[in-house]
């Protein structure tokens, strides 16, 4: 009999849910992560008493009561509601597009005035029957003002290309709200864990053996027979030595600064929608938790190209990459006793609630 039932590769959210359930069902598990900390991308670093979202701002939101009840077993959530702002040439607009945004853009007060204005703006582009790129698509959906002030520059920075060279399907529709409501999400449940995100993972992994600074590929050479099965939440193409080629990602670079002021921008998230400002957003972390510290910590986010070896953030799910993933998936299906899971194992952008859902489903199947 091998020492463990499961070798769990990764100490992120997917792995933590899987291993918690497996341990509770009496399985023997070892968790390893190549990073020096647990938590994967939801890890928060404590800087001057502020939980800094080191791998990008995270807001938990879900409509799934089962998932909400599950995470609430481990932490309590605060009442944070995501209400980002957009800064265009020094003027601030509320997001998502709602009556506050329309009022600031055009001075309209009623939903009817706002709808009429949007129709007037769109009518200028009515001649575009089949939008050939993202710019044309956006103009036919919202007209010039919203596109130029709030969409164009931000999208170009995110993708590192002019909007005229981006495919139209990136924007399928634009969610307009004709109410004065700045809550970004429509979900029933939303918040930030009191004590930060790392606490969720700490609680889930409570009493479970974890080795950080341990890369799977090195570890398995020395311990090939350590476990009956492996859960792998790293990159699927890396697992197979990139033998079919590398899947592409977009990366993000963060410039984090401690400032000697208690409140820098008065909001957790401010998007910079001009092309000329090099960063896409500034996150002021303390506002996620209504922090009262004397100092503040901000992170400027820069969207960047990704190369093998860099931190992979967003999968680029175009036709070519999806096809390549399908080929890797075929190899994965043949791999005996290895389960691939999580955002990197499935080459898919998952919000946290979807990761929990998927992990619960996977472990349930495993333990059945
Ligand atoms: P990860 O957290 O990436 O965990 C995988 C772990 O595996 C990592 O710790 C890694 O070090 C480890 N690993 C990889 N390879 C190896 C190896 N060879 N050996 C050992 N260990 C290895 N979701 C929301 O719901 N709300 C948000 O606001 C939100 N914001 C986001 C912002 C950004 C910028 C990004 C990129 C994502 C955001 N998400 C958000 C999604 C969220 O981050 C993911 O759902 C979640 O982190 C995925 O968890 P995971 O366990 O699948 O992957």
């Amino acid at each position: 009999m091998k020492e463990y039932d499961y070798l769990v590769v990764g100490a992120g959210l997917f792995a933590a849910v899987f291993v918690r359930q497996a341990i509770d069902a009496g399985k023997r598990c070892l968790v390893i992560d190549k990073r020096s900390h647990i938590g994967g991308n939801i890890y928060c670093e404590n800087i001057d008493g502020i939980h800094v979202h080191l791998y990008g701002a995270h807001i938990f939101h879900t409509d799934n009561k089962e998932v909400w009840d599950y995470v609430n077993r481990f932490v309590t959530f605060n009442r944070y509601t995501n209400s980002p702002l957009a800064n265009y040439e020094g003027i601030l607009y509320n997001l998502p597009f709602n009556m506050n945004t329309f009022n600031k853009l055009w001075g309209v007060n009623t939903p009817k005035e706002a709808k009429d204005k949007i129709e007037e703006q769109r009518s200028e582009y009515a001649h575009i029957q089949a939008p050939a790129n993202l710019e044309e698509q956006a103009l036919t959906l919202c007209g010039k003002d919203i596109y130029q002030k709030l969409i164009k520059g931000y999208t170009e920075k995110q993708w590192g290309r002019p909007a005229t060279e981006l495919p139209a399907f990136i924007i399928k529709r634009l969610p307009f709200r004709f109410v004065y409501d700045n809550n970004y999400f429509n979900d029933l449940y939303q918040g930030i864990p009191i004590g930060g995100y790392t606490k969720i993972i700490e609680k889930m992994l409570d009493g479970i053996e974890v080795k950080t600074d341990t890369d799977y590929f090195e570890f398995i050479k020395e311990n090939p027979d350590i476990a009956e099965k492996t859960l792998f939440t790293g990159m699927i193409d890396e697992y197979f030595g990139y033998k079919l080629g590398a899947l592409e990602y977009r990366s993000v670079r963060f410039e984090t600064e401690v400032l000697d002021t208690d409140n820098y921008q008065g909001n957790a998230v401010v998007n910079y929608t001009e092309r000329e400002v090099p960063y896409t957003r500034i996150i002021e972390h303390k506002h996620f938790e209504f922090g009262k510290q004397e100092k503040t910590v901000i992170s400027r986010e820069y969207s960047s190209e990704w190369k093998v070896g860099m931190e992979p953030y967003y999968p680029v799910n175009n036709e070519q990459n999806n096809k390549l993933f399908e080929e890797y998936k075929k190899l994965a299906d043949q791999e005996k006793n290895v389960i691939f899971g999580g955002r990197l194992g499935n080459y898919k952008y998952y919000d946290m609630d979807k990761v929990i859902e998927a992990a619960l489903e996977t472990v349930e199947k495993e333990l059945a």
Side-chain angles (χ1 to χ4, degrees):
M1 190 156 102
K2 296 187 178 169
E3 195 178 344
Y4 297 98
D5 294 308
Y6 292 99
L7 170 64
V8 174
V9 182
L13 189 57
F14 189 99
V17 170
F18 181 100
V19 77
R20 177 76 269 152
Q21 297 304 103
I23 289 274
D24 289 352
K27 300 293 178 190
R28 300 156 305 148
C29 304
L30 170 67
V31 180
I32 60 169
D33 201 298
K34 64 180 178 184
R35 292 180 181 169
S36 58
H37 58 75
I38 59 166
N41 274 13
I42 66 171
Y43 170 72
C44 293
E45 189 163 280
N46 190 326
I47 302 180
D48 284 324
I50 298 165
H51 298 120
V52 175
H53 300 199
L54 217 62
Y55 300 92
H58 280 73
I59 299 120
F60 193 91
H61 58 99
T62 189
D63 249 345
N64 183 329
K65 182 159 187 324
E66 195 193 330
V67 166
W68 182 245
D69 289 344
Y70 186 78
V71 278
N72 274 275
R73 274 175 47 191
F74 303 98
V75 279
T76 303
F77 283 79
N78 71 15
R79 61 158 186 86
Y80 178 80
T81 302
N82 194 30
S83 312
L85 291 164
N87 182 324
Y88 180 79
E89 295 187 338
I91 298 173
L92 291 166
Y93 299 91
N94 288 106
L95 297 174
F97 308 134
N98 72 78
M99 285 305 298
N100 289 309
T101 329
F102 308 139
N103 175 270
K104 190 79 170 260
L105 276 167
W106 303 308
V108 294
N109 292 337
T110 66
K112 163 118 185 36
E113 287 167 2
K115 284 179 187 170
D116 288 348
K117 188 71 191 175
I118 291 170
E119 273 319 303
E120 177 196 309
Q121 291 255 316
R122 292 179 57 187
S123 66
E124 279 184 50
Y125 302 94
H127 59 279
I128 302 175
Q129 297 291 329
N133 53 54
L134 185 144
E135 175 160 298
E136 290 189 1
Q137 171 81 337
L139 287 168
T140 57
L141 290 171
C142 66
K144 188 176 71 199
D145 289 354
I146 292 178
Y147 173 64
Q148 286 191 342
K149 292 183 177 170
L150 301 176
I151 297 176
K152 183 177 192 293
Y154 190 82
T155 312
E156 291 187 339
K157 285 189 281 190
Q158 261 192 325
W159 291 95
R161 277 192 280 160
T164 48
E165 290 176 19
L166 288 167
F169 74 78
I170 292 181
I171 298 184
K172 290 197 180 74
R173 50 181 206 95
L174 288 172
F176 293 129
R177 278 194 202 154
F178 295 97
V179 283
Y180 287 91
D181 177 8
N182 299 324
N183 178 358
Y184 196 79
F185 297 117
N186 290 316
D187 292 331
L188 192 54
Y189 310 104
Q190 162 170 204
I192 303 284
I194 295 173
Y197 282 96
T198 317
K199 204 170 152 190
I200 302 184
I201 307 291
E202 277 168 4
K203 287 280 178 81
M204 285 179 177
L205 297 181
D206 191 24
I208 297 170
E209 211 180 323
V210 181
K211 287 182 197 292
T212 48
D213 294 305
T214 305
D215 189 287
Y216 170 74
F217 301 104
E218 294 301 316
F219 182 81
I220 204 66
K221 274 188 223 155
E222 283 158 30
N223 305 276
D225 290 318
I226 197 160
E228 304 289 345
K229 277 192 153 183
T230 299
L231 168 70
F232 186 81
T233 69
M235 293 160 74
I236 190 168
D237 51 353
E238 187 181 16
Y239 181 91
F240 292 106
Y242 303 104
K243 67 177 171 194
L244 306 175
L247 292 161
E248 291 174 305
Y249 288 85
R250 287 291 296 171
S251 200
V252 187
R253 182 168 63 81
F254 302 98
E255 257 177 33
T256 296
E257 228 185 303
V258 180
L259 301 178
D260 218 352
T261 171
D262 67 335
N263 191 358
Y264 174 72
Q265 63 184 14
N267 205 44
V269 183
V270 180
N271 293 1
Y272 283 78
T273 55
E274 283 159 79
R275 184 72 193 84
E276 292 67 30
V277 176
Y279 39 87
T280 49
R281 316 198 284 185
I282 297 183
I283 304 299
E284 188 170 9
H285 301 268
K286 70 189 310 180
H287 294 309
F288 287 123
E289 298 182 61
F290 314 103
K292 298 276 182 285
Q293 299 85 351
E294 279 174 18
K295 293 188 180 178
T296 196
V297 182
I298 61 162
S299 298
R300 292 187 184 81
E301 289 188 14
Y302 299 81
S303 181
S304 77
E305 291 293 333
W306 176 85
K307 289 193 183 68
V308 173
M310 285 168 79
E311 203 58 66
Y313 281 104
Y314 297 103
V316 181
N317 288 108
N318 58 24
E319 207 178 311
Q320 182 193 332
N321 287 315
N322 287 346
K323 255 195 198 153
L324 185 55
F325 170 70
E326 285 309 319
E327 294 305 310
Y328 277 120
K329 178 85 178 54
K330 283 182 199 156
L331 294 179
D333 290 343
Q334 289 161 23
E335 200 73 358
K336 278 224 167 59
N337 300 326
V338 183
I339 307 157
F340 291 82
R343 64 183 194 99
L344 301 169
N346 286 318
Y347 191 60
K348 185 173 170 188
Y349 178 85
Y350 280 114
D351 272 332
M352 291 177 276
D353 61 328
K354 301 292 177 211
V355 163
I356 295 172
E357 241 174 69
L360 287 173
E361 217 174 274
T362 306
V363 73
E364 206 173 293
K365 256 193 231 156
E366 261 306 294
L367 300 175

